[in-house]
Amino acid sequence: MDVLIKGAKLIDGTGDSPSLNSFVLVRDKKIIDIGSQKKLPKHLEKFRVLDFPNGTILPGLIETHSHMHCTGNKESLERMLLDSEETLIMRSVKAMRESLLSGVTTMRDLGSRNRVAFSIKEAIVNGIIDGPRILVAGTPITTTAGHCYFFGTEANSQEEILHAVRRQVKLGADCIKIMSTGGNFTPRSNPRRAQFSLQLLQDAVDDAHRLEVPVASHCHGTEGIVNSVSAGVDNLIHCSWISSNPSEGYDYREDVVDEIADKGIFVDPTIALGHLRQIDDPEADVFQPGGVFYDLDARYEMLRDMWEKGVRFISGLDAGMYMGEFGTHYNSVLVMIEKMGVSPIDAIKCVTKNSAECLGILQETGTLEKGKSADLIVLSDDFEKNPDSLQKVDTVINKGEIVKENQIPLI
């Protein structure tokens, strides 16, 4: 379908200032032209026109952190343990559609059962179901009784961890997810302490990189962060800086932050999840002294310092976890603006260009540029003045196909 999209403002995802009264031309799933409406080409009679005189055109959002078969509510763990594989697949199909209609045109799943994750990816690629461009890790690599062991691959030795990496690559994993610390989702896994030694983590990273597959490391505790940075992972998930000693709260290491920035390691702070959980249940154990989300204000301050030191942030909701409902991916952007104090333009860059670069697909998507995939969304309002307008995306175009128009789903 040939489409002409016109808007009062265009934010291209590069971090540059918005363009006013702009247009985007789409043909054969690609952006074939982009620019000022004053320079709009002639002879466009065959193009379908979508005009937003007060609206904002943006790149499609990129969700870098999801668990497609999890519920996103308080029952997430229970349902993960009890539901059949068929139910998990059906839930994943629903999650893909909800995410796409919310404006997510690219998603990375960072930990789901192999038979679910790879089946969903194949179904989207083959046009059997509707969904965003999807990259998957499959089962995460963890230790026995470690974080997410119930849908992960348990590995405790060099032989086991190398086998786990190679098995995921053999299945077609787009990245390797490794649990360098415990996590909140898994009882008794201890998010404060490292699950793997530095040597085992290094072995996993070296072998993944030999096979040209990036590594994302789940790390709440500072022990795990330090090991992950030393091992040379490509992406830190959470990066919570929690001390191994509960009485000490955070253990923020500025020298390690400098190393993260120097190495160009992308950080997904999952910033929205703690904020949303605090609103829902402020008395929960995780917000008490010694809890993982204790003193969120101090954590926002650390994230601001990381930003100022040049760390590159990406956008991950941790969709599927409690308060991470699919279709609410905009929360990562809004909380980043509110709590970190970044500009709307910079927040959009994190959820588009930075995230695409982290996933290795920047040449294909992530910014609005001629020749790239026609993945874009349109808001009916001025995003810079009203970031909350991201909660109600008016129109979604996924690889050149209009899947939502005037708030009406077309899939």
Side-chain angles (χ1 to χ4, degrees):
M1 179 186 294
D2 294 343
V3 185
L4 165 61
I5 307 103
K6 298 193 293 184
K9 184 174 286 189
L10 183 146
I11 299 172
D12 64 11
T14 65
D16 290 343
S17 299
S19 302
L20 303 181
N21 298 316
S22 297
F23 74 89
V24 179
L25 280 180
V26 173
R27 170 176 283 170
D28 297 330
K29 302 181 180 181
K30 299 287 187 180
I31 296 172
I32 63 170
D33 202 358
I34 186 170
S36 169
Q37 292 180 32
K38 294 180 180 179
K39 298 181 180 180
L40 192 64
K42 298 179 180 179
H43 309 299
L44 300 176
E45 294 82 6
K46 295 183 179 181
F47 281 75
R48 182 174 178 195
V49 180
L50 303 178
D51 194 2
F52 299 87
N54 300 308
T56 308
I57 305 170
L58 304 100
L61 307 182
I62 299 178
E63 173 57 71
T64 67
H65 188 174
S66 64
H67 303 279
M68 64 174 71
H69 55 33
C70 295
T71 63
N73 57 32
K74 287 185 177 181
E75 297 180 349
S76 190
L77 177 59
E78 181 181 3
R79 298 271 50 91
M80 181 65 249
L81 295 173
L82 299 179
D83 286 347
S84 67
E85 197 165 87
E86 291 80 5
T87 297
L88 297 181
I89 289 175
M90 288 186 283
R91 180 178 297 126
S92 300
V93 172
K94 179 174 180 285
M96 294 301 101
R97 180 178 182 272
E98 290 176 339
S99 298
L100 179 57
L101 292 175
S102 74
V104 173
T105 56
T106 299
M107 175 179 286
R108 178 177 65 175
D109 189 90
L110 267 187
S112 295
R113 290 184 183 174
N114 280 336
R115 285 169 59 92
V116 176
F118 292 108
S119 296
I120 291 295
K121 179 178 179 179
E122 183 178 2
I124 290 176
V125 169
N126 291 326
I128 299 171
I129 65 172
D130 292 300
R133 175 187 293 97
I134 185 78
L135 294 86
V136 300
T139 59
I141 300 173
T142 189
T143 55
T144 298
H147 185 42
C148 292
Y149 69 86
F150 33 79
F151 61 79
T153 298
E154 295 174 314
N156 304 286
S157 65
Q158 183 190 54
E159 180 181 2
E160 291 175 344
I161 204 166
L162 293 180
H163 181 266
V165 168
R166 294 168 187 176
R167 176 171 178 258
Q168 291 309 112
V169 175
K170 181 180 179 180
L171 289 171
D174 298 293
C175 68
I176 297 297
K177 172 73 174 293
I178 192 162
M179 304 299 197
S180 66
T181 70
N184 300 317
F185 191 55
T186 309
R188 303 182 66 182
S189 64
N190 194 353
R192 298 180 172 278
R193 300 302 303 272
Q195 294 194 152
F196 294 102
S197 68
L198 172 58
Q199 184 59 59
L200 284 181
L201 201 58
Q202 185 75 69
D203 291 337
V205 171
D206 287 348
D207 209 45
H209 286 173
R210 175 184 67 84
L211 297 168
E212 299 183 327
V213 177
V215 179
S217 176
H218 161 104
C219 44
H220 280 299
T222 299
E223 281 185 3
I225 297 171
V226 171
N227 284 349
S228 297
V229 174
S230 296
V233 304
D234 304 278
N235 183 193
L236 298 172
I237 309 298
H238 304 300
C239 197
S240 304
W241 299 107
I242 301 170
S243 172
S244 60
N245 183 348
S247 65
E248 294 180 357
Y250 292 111
D251 180 15
Y252 184 59
R253 308 276 186 89
E254 292 192 41
D255 59 325
V256 180
V257 174
D258 290 335
E259 190 175 357
I260 293 170
D262 290 342
K263 288 185 173 181
I265 300 173
F266 290 94
V267 173
D268 163 23
T270 57
I271 188 173
L273 212 59
H275 173 71
L276 295 171
R277 288 189 63 176
Q278 189 174 50
I279 293 173
D280 184 68
D281 187 7
E283 302 304 319
D285 290 344
V286 291
F287 299 109
Q288 306 311 311
V292 172
F293 290 135
Y294 179 62
D295 195 359
L296 283 179
D297 288 339
R299 180 160 193 250
Y300 299 142
E301 186 176 341
M302 289 185 288
L303 293 176
R304 284 192 290 270
D305 186 65
M306 292 173 69
W307 177 279
E308 291 171 359
K309 291 182 184 301
V311 172
R312 291 189 291 177
F313 285 87
I314 61 174
S315 178
L317 179 63
D318 206 354
M321 298 295 105
Y322 170 35
M323 294 305 294
E325 295 183 0
F326 287 90
T328 65
H329 309 276
Y330 51 78
N331 278 312
S332 297
V333 176
L334 300 183
V335 176
M336 187 173 286
I337 293 170
E338 178 185 351
K339 298 299 183 180
M340 283 181 61
V342 306
S343 71
I345 298 299
D346 283 336
I348 288 297
K349 182 181 177 182
C350 291
V351 76
T352 56
K353 181 182 179 180
N354 284 7
S355 293
E357 188 174 354
C358 175
L359 302 188
I361 56 174
L362 183 58
Q363 75 285 353
E364 181 180 1
T365 191
T367 57
L368 297 181
E369 297 179 71
K370 185 176 179 179
K372 287 195 173 183
S373 179
D375 305 322
L376 57 94
I377 61 176
V378 188
L379 312 180
S380 58
D381 203 352
D382 185 330
F383 173 73
E384 277 192 291
K385 295 179 179 178
N386 179 22
D388 286 340
S389 60
L390 195 62
Q391 297 182 54
K392 292 185 178 181
V393 173
D394 185 282
T395 296
V396 179
I397 298 178
N398 183 41
K399 296 180 182 177
E401 178 187 358
I402 303 172
V403 297
K404 182 181 182 181
E405 183 178 358
N406 297 325
Q407 299 283 345
I408 300 174
L410 303 179
I411 57 173

